[in-house]
């Protein structure tokens, strides 16, 4: 048998259709308290799930419930972009 070896297989990008239950536009604010709590929980949640943009201190954090996934955090442009009306809800 010998030693194992590695090869690289390219996985093509694919589109995934998601079902959204709700979006909470202003779930929280990215601040020192958020950072401390998330660090304690071992999940930093310091970037938008959708666009991967890193939050800045003071940014509002949205929360989205997606079918078959744990709830995810969103930046405000993505809150607006993913909402059914394509506008952030108050
Ligand atoms: Zn985003």
């Amino acid at each position: 048998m010998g030693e194992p070896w590695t090869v690289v297989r390219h996985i093509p990008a694919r589109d995934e259709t998601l079902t959204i239950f709700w979006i909470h536009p202003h779930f929280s604010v990215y601040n020192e308290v958020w950072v401390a709590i998330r660090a304690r929980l071992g999940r930093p949640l310091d970037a938008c799930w959708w666009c991967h943009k890193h939050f800045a201190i003071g940014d509002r954090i949205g929360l989205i419930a997606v079918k078959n996934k744990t709830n995810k955090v969103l930046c405000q442009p993505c809150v607006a972009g993913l909402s059914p009306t394509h506008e952030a809800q108050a």
Side-chain angles (χ1 to χ4, degrees), residues 10-82:
H10 175 67
I11 310 294
R14 65 190 173 87
D15 290 337
E16 186 179 29
T17 300
L18 304 170
T19 299
I20 297 172
F21 293 127
W22 49 257
I23 297 177
H24 186 341
H26 299 152
F27 171 66
S28 193
V29 175
Y30 190 79
N31 56 23
E32 289 81 358
V33 175
W34 174 274
V35 171
I37 291 172
R38 300 314 313 185
R40 197 156 62 231
L41 296 176
R43 280 181 76 207
L45 292 186
D46 55 0
C48 173
W49 166 68
W50 189 257
C51 74
H52 306 296
K53 185 175 89 70
H54 204 286
F55 295 122
I57 294 294
D59 280 354
R60 281 179 162 172
I61 297 173
L63 192 72
I64 185 171
V66 183
K67 190 177 181 180
N68 298 328
K69 296 183 185 296
T70 58
N71 292 349
K72 307 293 185 185
V73 291
L74 293 178
C75 71
Q76 291 302 302
C78 291
V79 164
L82 294 176

